[in-house]
Amino acid sequence: MARGTTTTGTVRRVSGAGSDFANHCMELLAPLGPVLARRMFGGFGLYVDGLFLAIISRDELYLKADATSQPRYVEAGCEPFRYSKTGKDGQEAVASLNYFRPPEDTLESPALMLPWGRLAMESALRSVNAKPKASTAKKSAGTTAAPRTDRKEKPVTAAAAPMVKRSPGAGRAIARRKAGG
């Protein structure tokens, strides 16, 4: 993949079917940060700074939404991402995801896309922060227990006092004196 640099972020260009539109969308979202496109389900998934932000399906861009941002998309007359699926009973059904097409004029320039891209990024951040983080035994070990207070302090003795640095032969000279020789 060739890399292109915009004035504000890095874009990893894609090639193949649908890549012209995907590259255009990546350029539109570049002011938000480094953009990466990955092929998925016959289209593309767009990531900005590692956050999954958008879907490209059938040469249409859909930006991430959530309960907070969805009313803004609806007010602007944006269409949700819909797809056909077969249910367990074999019936065809139309399903919808929380992704919406941005207004048509936003596809003309990064400046027009920026507010909608930020809205999608806010939704992606809320989504990531709402998920509980997986904890491992190492990370959680000892974090919930109260500190031990039943340990007794040992008195400082001569053996526990700091060692005095001596020359290498000093130990033998002391041992000879004690042995009487």
Side-chain angles (χ1 to χ4, degrees):
M1 277 185 278
R3 287 186 185 184
T5 303
T6 64
T7 56
T8 53
T10 302
V11 173
R12 287 183 161 202
R13 299 189 187 285
V14 292
S15 59
S19 62
D20 290 340
F21 184 71
N23 287 327
H24 174 69
C25 292
M26 292 166 62
E27 291 288 333
L28 292 173
L29 295 172
L32 297 171
V35 183
L36 173 68
R38 291 191 178 152
R39 289 197 177 275
M40 54 178 51
F41 309 116
F44 294 93
L46 298 183
Y47 296 80
V48 176
D49 272 340
L51 292 171
F52 189 72
L53 205 67
I55 296 172
I56 298 174
S57 177
R58 296 178 299 277
D59 282 345
E60 295 288 345
L61 174 68
Y62 297 90
L63 298 174
K64 186 164 185 67
D66 62 2
T68 304
S69 63
Q70 187 175 355
R72 182 134 177 235
Y73 286 101
V74 173
E75 286 172 15
C78 302
E79 293 292 319
F81 175 69
R82 292 188 178 110
Y83 63 98
S84 298
K85 71 175 192 170
T86 305
K88 292 180 182 178
D89 57 0
Q91 296 288 328
E92 282 285 319
V94 175
S96 179
L97 293 177
N98 235 356
Y99 289 83
F100 284 81
R101 286 179 52 194
E104 281 298 316
D105 61 336
T106 62
L107 297 174
E108 294 176 15
S109 77
L112 294 173
M113 179 60 76
L114 189 59
W116 293 95
R118 284 185 180 147
L119 189 64
M121 189 160 233
E122 291 168 6
S123 297
L125 285 168
R126 280 190 294 269
S127 174
V128 167
N129 289 329
K131 293 178 184 173
K133 293 183 179 178
S135 63
T136 63
K138 280 185 179 179
K139 287 183 183 177
S140 63
T143 57
T144 58
R148 276 182 74 175
T149 56
D150 61 341
R151 291 184 181 155
K152 294 180 183 174
E153 291 292 324
K154 294 181 181 178
V156 177
T157 61
M163 298 279 292
V164 177
K165 196 167 191 172
R166 297 186 179 141
S167 64
R172 283 177 272 174
I174 295 172
R176 272 186 264 156
R177 272 186 258 144
K178 285 184 179 178

